[in-house]
Amino acid sequence: MNKDLSNYRKSYEKQKLLLAEVPDNPLQLFQTWFYEVDNSGTVDEANAMTVSTMGLDGFPKSRVVLLKKYTHEGFIFYTNYNSEKGKAIANNNHVCLSFFWHAAERQIIIKGTAEKIAENLSDGYFESRPKGSQLGALVSNQSEVISRTELEEKLKALEKEYKSKPVTRPKHWGGYIVKPVEIEFWQGRPNRLHDRIRYQLQKDYSWKIERLAP
């Protein structure tokens, strides 16, 4: 197998990102970019993001999850705490989030620390999910080896069990908030002279803002 991709090229020319025009707080710029992308109609799931962790086997691993909320404190997503990513976070809670919105020629890279959110917040989100998704959280011992047949049989059994009663959030499932310490905004530009603006959190909770070479 041999496929040469060296001629795959694109010129990025849609937007620009100037140091003199960015806000003091990166969360404000994140919100602006997110709204612009989400309202553009060019991205199916603007909240899809890559979460990278350092695995127990010593290798980094990345996977796509859905951002469910962002606040002035950070970025919230939900998962099985006993999953591979959950175990990795328990061992080393330094994580990286990244968004790549190809149609907007934009990327955001976020370094931060992941912490479990309060149980009542996880309860509230779990209750808002469709019942099928709730049962899915009960069915799956996420990241464990399983057959498709076994998975579907477990779901059928739970559908019968919970046919006429609500599903309670399992304790091993809930949310994380990633509190950022560094956020980089990347805007594609012509001739590969891309705009890269980096925010770094300081001890007084202000943000140091710098332009990086592309």
Tab-separated table of all heavy atoms in Angstrom, residues 110-144:
chain	number	residue	atom	x	y	z
A	110	ILE	N	-6.780	23.652	23.362
A	110	ILE	CA	-6.946	24.033	24.767
A	110	ILE	C	-6.201	23.055	25.657
A	110	ILE	O	-6.467	21.853	25.641
A	110	ILE	CB	-8.440	24.029	25.160
A	110	ILE	CG1	-9.228	24.997	24.267
A	110	ILE	CG2	-8.622	24.382	26.642
A	110	ILE	CD1	-10.718	24.736	24.234
A	111	LYS	N	-5.256	23.553	26.439
A	111	LYS	CA	-4.602	22.748	27.464
A	111	LYS	C	-5.259	23.071	28.803
A	111	LYS	O	-5.519	24.241	29.108
A	111	LYS	CB	-3.110	23.062	27.559
A	111	LYS	CG	-2.299	22.678	26.337
A	111	LYS	CD	-0.835	23.046	26.558
A	111	LYS	CE	0.022	22.742	25.337
A	111	LYS	NZ	1.433	23.145	25.552
A	112	GLY	N	-5.535	22.031	29.606
A	112	GLY	CA	-6.172	22.299	30.884
A	112	GLY	C	-6.183	21.096	31.791
A	112	GLY	O	-5.631	20.040	31.465
A	113	THR	N	-6.805	21.270	32.945
A	113	THR	CA	-6.932	20.192	33.925
A	113	THR	C	-8.389	19.770	34.005
A	113	THR	O	-9.291	20.613	34.033
A	113	THR	CB	-6.445	20.639	35.311
A	113	THR	OG1	-7.144	21.826	35.715
A	113	THR	CG2	-4.943	20.931	35.282
A	114	ALA	N	-8.610	18.459	34.023
A	114	ALA	CA	-9.968	17.905	34.047
A	114	ALA	C	-10.360	17.528	35.470
A	114	ALA	O	-9.590	16.884	36.183
A	114	ALA	CB	-10.061	16.687	33.137
A	115	GLU	N	-11.562	17.928	35.873
A	115	GLU	CA	-12.095	17.591	37.191
A	115	GLU	C	-13.540	17.121	37.038
A	115	GLU	O	-14.271	17.626	36.173
A	115	GLU	CB	-12.075	18.812	38.122
A	115	GLU	CG	-10.704	19.454	38.315
A	115	GLU	CD	-10.795	20.756	39.094
A	115	GLU	OE1	-11.919	21.096	39.558
A	115	GLU	OE2	-9.766	21.446	39.201
A	116	LYS	N	-13.965	16.189	37.877
A	116	LYS	CA	-15.366	15.781	37.875
A	116	LYS	C	-16.237	16.945	38.333
A	116	LYS	O	-15.872	17.674	39.265
A	116	LYS	CB	-15.587	14.580	38.797
A	116	LYS	CG	-14.961	13.282	38.302
A	116	LYS	CD	-15.239	12.142	39.274
A	116	LYS	CE	-14.608	10.842	38.805
A	116	LYS	NZ	-14.857	9.722	39.761
A	117	ILE	N	-17.380	17.104	37.687
A	117	ILE	CA	-18.315	18.138	38.129
A	117	ILE	C	-19.158	17.587	39.279
A	117	ILE	O	-19.135	16.390	39.577
A	117	ILE	CB	-19.205	18.622	36.977
A	117	ILE	CG1	-20.101	17.488	36.455
A	117	ILE	CG2	-18.358	19.187	35.850
A	117	ILE	CD1	-21.113	17.946	35.408
A	118	ALA	N	-19.916	18.462	39.920
A	118	ALA	CA	-20.764	18.053	41.042
A	118	ALA	C	-21.780	17.009	40.590
A	118	ALA	O	-22.289	17.065	39.462
A	118	ALA	CB	-21.484	19.268	41.624
A	119	GLU	N	-22.097	16.058	41.476
A	119	GLU	CA	-23.010	14.969	41.122
A	119	GLU	C	-24.390	15.469	40.711
A	119	GLU	O	-25.014	14.904	39.806
A	119	GLU	CB	-23.117	13.983	42.285
A	119	GLU	CG	-21.845	13.163	42.515
A	119	GLU	CD	-22.073	11.986	43.434
A	119	GLU	OE1	-23.248	11.768	43.824
A	119	GLU	OE2	-21.101	11.285	43.753
A	120	ASN	N	-24.870	16.517	41.361
A	120	ASN	CA	-26.209	17.013	41.009
A	120	ASN	C	-26.245	17.580	39.588
A	120	ASN	O	-27.265	17.505	38.906
A	120	ASN	CB	-26.678	18.062	42.018
A	120	ASN	CG	-25.847	19.333	41.983
A	120	ASN	OD1	-24.624	19.285	42.093
A	120	ASN	ND2	-26.493	20.471	41.844
A	121	LEU	N	-25.112	18.110	39.119
A	121	LEU	CA	-25.044	18.608	37.747
A	121	LEU	C	-25.060	17.449	36.754
A	121	LEU	O	-25.725	17.510	35.713
A	121	LEU	CB	-23.794	19.464	37.544
A	121	LEU	CG	-23.708	20.735	38.390
A	121	LEU	CD1	-22.407	21.476	38.107
A	121	LEU	CD2	-24.913	21.646	38.124
A	122	SER	N	-24.335	16.379	37.088
A	122	SER	CA	-24.372	15.185	36.237
A	122	SER	C	-25.771	14.575	36.236
A	122	SER	O	-26.265	14.118	35.198
A	122	SER	CB	-23.344	14.150	36.719
A	122	SER	OG	-22.021	14.583	36.452
A	123	ASP	N	-26.429	14.558	37.420
A	123	ASP	CA	-27.801	14.047	37.504
A	123	ASP	C	-28.729	14.830	36.585
A	123	ASP	O	-29.544	14.257	35.852
A	123	ASP	CB	-28.327	14.138	38.938
A	123	ASP	CG	-27.670	13.138	39.880
A	123	ASP	OD1	-27.126	12.137	39.388
A	123	ASP	OD2	-27.702	13.387	41.099
A	124	GLY	N	-28.607	16.155	36.633
A	124	GLY	CA	-29.484	17.002	35.831
A	124	GLY	C	-29.313	16.764	34.345
A	124	GLY	O	-30.299	16.682	33.603
A	125	TYR	N	-28.072	16.646	33.892
A	125	TYR	CA	-27.857	16.394	32.474
A	125	TYR	C	-28.352	15.006	32.086
A	125	TYR	O	-28.986	14.832	31.033
A	125	TYR	CB	-26.381	16.546	32.099
A	125	TYR	CG	-26.135	16.156	30.659
A	125	TYR	CD1	-26.601	16.958	29.625
A	125	TYR	CD2	-25.493	14.967	30.335
A	125	TYR	CE1	-26.428	16.596	28.299
A	125	TYR	CE2	-25.320	14.586	29.017
A	125	TYR	CZ	-25.782	15.411	28.001
A	125	TYR	OH	-25.619	15.030	26.687
A	126	PHE	N	-28.078	14.009	32.930
A	126	PHE	CA	-28.505	12.645	32.629
A	126	PHE	C	-30.017	12.574	32.476
A	126	PHE	O	-30.530	11.916	31.567
A	126	PHE	CB	-28.038	11.690	33.727
A	126	PHE	CG	-28.255	10.239	33.410
A	126	PHE	CD1	-27.337	9.531	32.643
A	126	PHE	CD2	-29.367	9.563	33.877
A	126	PHE	CE1	-27.535	8.196	32.337
A	126	PHE	CE2	-29.586	8.223	33.578
A	126	PHE	CZ	-28.657	7.539	32.808
A	127	GLU	N	-30.738	13.272	33.336
A	127	GLU	CA	-32.206	13.263	33.268
A	127	GLU	C	-32.728	13.907	31.984
A	127	GLU	O	-33.821	13.585	31.528
A	127	GLU	CB	-32.776	13.995	34.486
A	127	GLU	CG	-32.582	13.234	35.793
A	127	GLU	CD	-32.940	14.064	37.008
A	127	GLU	OE1	-33.426	15.210	36.818
A	127	GLU	OE2	-32.722	13.597	38.143
A	128	SER	N	-31.933	14.794	31.399
A	128	SER	CA	-32.368	15.470	30.170
A	128	SER	C	-32.128	14.636	28.924
A	128	SER	O	-32.637	14.974	27.849
A	128	SER	CB	-31.606	16.803	30.023
A	128	SER	OG	-30.253	16.584	29.627
A	129	ARG	N	-31.395	13.538	29.043
A	129	ARG	CA	-31.064	12.727	27.869
A	129	ARG	C	-32.247	11.853	27.447
A	129	ARG	O	-33.075	11.476	28.283
A	129	ARG	CB	-29.866	11.801	28.165
A	129	ARG	CG	-28.620	12.505	28.628
A	129	ARG	CD	-27.503	11.494	28.869
A	129	ARG	NE	-26.734	11.261	27.652
A	129	ARG	CZ	-26.019	10.165	27.423
A	129	ARG	NH1	-26.009	9.180	28.304
A	129	ARG	NH2	-25.323	10.036	26.315
A	130	PRO	N	-32.340	11.512	26.169
A	130	PRO	CA	-33.360	10.550	25.736
A	130	PRO	C	-33.168	9.220	26.469
A	130	PRO	O	-32.040	8.862	26.838
A	130	PRO	CB	-33.082	10.397	24.238
A	130	PRO	CG	-32.326	11.624	23.856
A	130	PRO	CD	-31.519	12.009	25.061
A	131	LYS	N	-34.261	8.500	26.673
A	131	LYS	CA	-34.182	7.259	27.442
A	131	LYS	C	-33.225	6.249	26.808
A	131	LYS	O	-32.521	5.525	27.506
A	131	LYS	CB	-35.575	6.636	27.597
A	131	LYS	CG	-35.627	5.572	28.696
A	131	LYS	CD	-37.055	5.246	29.090
A	131	LYS	CE	-37.086	4.367	30.340
A	131	LYS	NZ	-38.464	4.091	30.783
A	132	GLY	N	-33.172	6.220	25.480
A	132	GLY	CA	-32.249	5.312	24.817
A	132	GLY	C	-30.796	5.602	25.170
A	132	GLY	O	-29.994	4.683	25.385
A	133	SER	N	-30.469	6.886	25.262
A	133	SER	CA	-29.111	7.274	25.642
A	133	SER	C	-28.837	6.953	27.106
A	133	SER	O	-27.714	6.571	27.474
A	133	SER	CB	-28.899	8.770	25.386
A	133	SER	OG	-29.011	9.063	24.010
A	134	GLN	N	-29.840	7.124	27.942
A	134	GLN	CA	-29.685	6.757	29.350
A	134	GLN	C	-29.385	5.269	29.492
A	134	GLN	O	-28.480	4.866	30.233
A	134	GLN	CB	-30.954	7.110	30.127
A	134	GLN	CG	-31.233	8.594	30.238
A	134	GLN	CD	-32.548	8.870	30.946
A	134	GLN	OE1	-33.461	8.039	30.954
A	134	GLN	NE2	-32.666	10.054	31.529
A	135	LEU	N	-30.153	4.456	28.779
A	135	LEU	CA	-29.936	3.009	28.848
A	135	LEU	C	-28.577	2.635	28.267
A	135	LEU	O	-27.926	1.701	28.740
A	135	LEU	CB	-31.055	2.272	28.109
A	135	LEU	CG	-32.439	2.371	28.742
A	135	LEU	CD1	-33.475	1.682	27.860
A	135	LEU	CD2	-32.446	1.762	30.149
A	136	GLY	N	-28.147	3.371	27.250
A	136	GLY	CA	-26.833	3.114	26.669
A	136	GLY	C	-25.718	3.280	27.684
A	136	GLY	O	-24.727	2.552	27.663
A	137	ALA	N	-25.880	4.248	28.596
A	137	ALA	CA	-24.877	4.455	29.638
A	137	ALA	C	-24.842	3.282	30.615
A	137	ALA	O	-23.796	2.966	31.191
A	137	ALA	CB	-25.165	5.754	30.394
A	138	LEU	N	-25.999	2.635	30.817
A	138	LEU	CA	-26.053	1.464	31.695
A	138	LEU	C	-25.518	0.216	31.005
A	138	LEU	O	-24.867	-0.623	31.631
A	138	LEU	CB	-27.493	1.205	32.139
A	138	LEU	CG	-28.164	2.231	33.052
A	138	LEU	CD1	-29.581	1.772	33.383
A	138	LEU	CD2	-27.372	2.426	34.328
A	139	VAL	N	-25.799	0.099	29.729
A	139	VAL	CA	-25.423	-1.108	28.978
A	139	VAL	C	-23.918	-1.250	28.843
A	139	VAL	O	-23.355	-2.335	29.009
A	139	VAL	CB	-26.062	-1.077	27.567
A	139	VAL	CG1	-25.432	-2.134	26.664
A	139	VAL	CG2	-27.556	-1.305	27.661
A	140	SER	N	-23.257	-0.138	28.534
A	140	SER	CA	-21.868	-0.213	28.090
A	140	SER	C	-20.867	-0.113	29.231
A	140	SER	O	-20.820	0.893	29.942
A	140	SER	CB	-21.595	0.910	27.087
A	140	SER	OG	-20.241	0.921	26.713
A	141	ASN	N	-20.068	-1.158	29.396
A	141	ASN	CA	-18.854	-1.061	30.213
A	141	ASN	C	-17.773	-0.507	29.284
A	141	ASN	O	-16.954	-1.245	28.739
A	141	ASN	CB	-18.459	-2.428	30.769
A	141	ASN	CG	-19.488	-2.967	31.739
A	141	ASN	OD1	-20.087	-2.216	32.513
A	141	ASN	ND2	-19.720	-4.268	31.691
A	142	GLN	N	-17.804	0.803	29.114
A	142	GLN	CA	-17.048	1.452	28.048
A	142	GLN	C	-15.581	1.063	28.045
A	142	GLN	O	-14.934	1.030	29.088
A	142	GLN	CB	-17.187	2.974	28.165
A	142	GLN	CG	-16.718	3.733	26.939
A	142	GLN	CD	-17.026	5.216	27.048
A	142	GLN	OE1	-17.908	5.637	27.785
A	142	GLN	NE2	-16.288	6.009	26.305
A	143	SER	N	-15.082	0.771	26.853
A	143	SER	CA	-13.692	0.392	26.568
A	143	SER	C	-13.380	-1.068	26.881
A	143	SER	O	-12.263	-1.525	26.625
A	143	SER	CB	-12.680	1.301	27.305
A	143	SER	OG	-12.883	2.664	26.988
A	144	GLU	N	-14.344	-1.815	27.447
A	144	GLU	CA	-14.130	-3.236	27.700
A	144	GLU	C	-14.469	-4.057	26.457
A	144	GLU	O	-15.306	-3.661	25.644
A	144	GLU	CB	-15.007	-3.704	28.869
A	144	GLU	CG	-14.734	-2.994	30.195
A	144	GLU	CD	-13.350	-3.273	30.736
A	144	GLU	OE1	-12.855	-4.404	30.527
A	144	GLU	OE2	-12.745	-2.363	31.351
